[in-house]
Amino acid sequence: DGGITQSPKYLFRKEGQNVTLSCEQNLNHDAMYWYRQDPGQGLRLIYYSQIVNDFQKGDIAEGYSVSREKKESFPLTVTSAQKNPTAFYLCASHTDSNEKLFFGSGTQLSVL
Amino acid sequence: EDKVVQSPLSLVVHEGDTVTLNCSYEVTNFRSLLWYKQEKKAPTFLFMLTSSGIEKKSGRLSSILDKKELFSILNITATQTGDSAVYLCAMEYGNKLVFGAGTILRVKS
């Protein structure tokens, strides 16, 4: 079945540690996105990528980094510079011609 | 600054009630408005609206867009406990989607 797979479902980060959230899609979608959701807030855009080897900052990119070496994969690294990383992270994708986003099941990141 | 505002922030109703959720926006270069339902983790798609005044309907849910007044509503009739969720409104402009904070709906039996 086609879809978006995020892993892990739950992740714990220690102080000063970088952690990487995985996002893989087999939908052949060109565009991929990372969103962050905090309690009581909507989804805020961290980074997005329209094509391989290219990505743009979203509204809250500070403290995060991404790569897009393959069409199927768009990993997100939460760096030690992100001082408040505890949140629910959602990866999404869509094709150029279809504006509906497909979402992964998310990763809950917590700080130890 | 582009933004999306949803109201109310939360709502508690009884089964069988009808609810109306609101989404207003201030976005330049508007392309579409989307509604999502989020129950546990990933949001699921409900509607995409691009034209003003045309109602989209799916079972007990319906939605309409007013591009002149810059808002959309999502109606749910004969609510059921399974409708309990967070409902998210999102605006698409350029290459980005901007989401509102969501409306938390709780349907009591």
Side-chain angles (χ1 to χ4, degrees), chain A residues 10 33 35 37 40-43 45 48 50 57-59 88 90 94 96 99-101 103-106 108, chain B residues 9 31-32 34 36 38 40-45 48 50 86 88 92-93 95-102 104:
Chain A
Y10 300 96
Y33 302 78
Y35 289 93
Q37 187 174 32
Q41 297 193 38
L43 302 179
L45 182 63
Y48 62 105
Q50 300 293 310
K57 293 182 179 180
D59 301 316
F88 184 62
L90 277 166
H94 74 129
D96 280 341
E99 294 160 345
K100 185 181 82 173
L101 278 180
F103 286 92
S105 55
Q108 176 65 51
Chain B
L9 290 180
R31 289 182 63 183
S32 63
L34 299 95
Y36 288 87
Q38 185 178 22
K40 291 185 179 177
K41 295 297 183 183
T44 54
F45 173 78
M48 182 172 75
T50 56
V86 177
L88 295 166
E92 203 222 2
Y93 66 103
N95 295 322
K96 298 196 297 183
L97 266 184
V98 174
F99 284 83
I104 302 171

Side-chain angles (χ1 to χ4, degrees), chain B residues 3-7 22-25 89 100-101:
Chain B
K3 62 180 180 180
V4 179
V5 178
Q6 292 187 244
S7 64
N22 303 291
C23 176
S24 64
Y25 63 93
C89 170

Side-chain angles (χ1 to χ4, degrees), chain A residues 7-14 17-22 76 78 86-87 89 107-112:
Chain A
S7 61
K9 289 190 182 304
Y10 300 96
L11 186 59
F12 296 91
R13 193 192 88 166
K14 295 179 182 178
Q17 186 181 39
N18 292 353
V19 293
T20 298
L21 284 60
S22 170
L76 173 74
V78 184
T86 297
Y89 291 84
T107 294
Q108 176 65 51
L109 175 63
S110 303
V111 176
L112 289 176

Side-chain angles (χ1 to χ4, degrees), chain B residues 11-31:
Chain B
L11 190 57
V12 181
V13 300
H14 288 95
E15 272 191 313
D17 288 350
T18 293
V19 297
T20 298
L21 310 183
N22 303 291
C23 176
S24 64
Y25 63 93
E26 297 174 15
V27 174
T28 55
N29 301 318
F30 168 89
R31 289 182 63 183

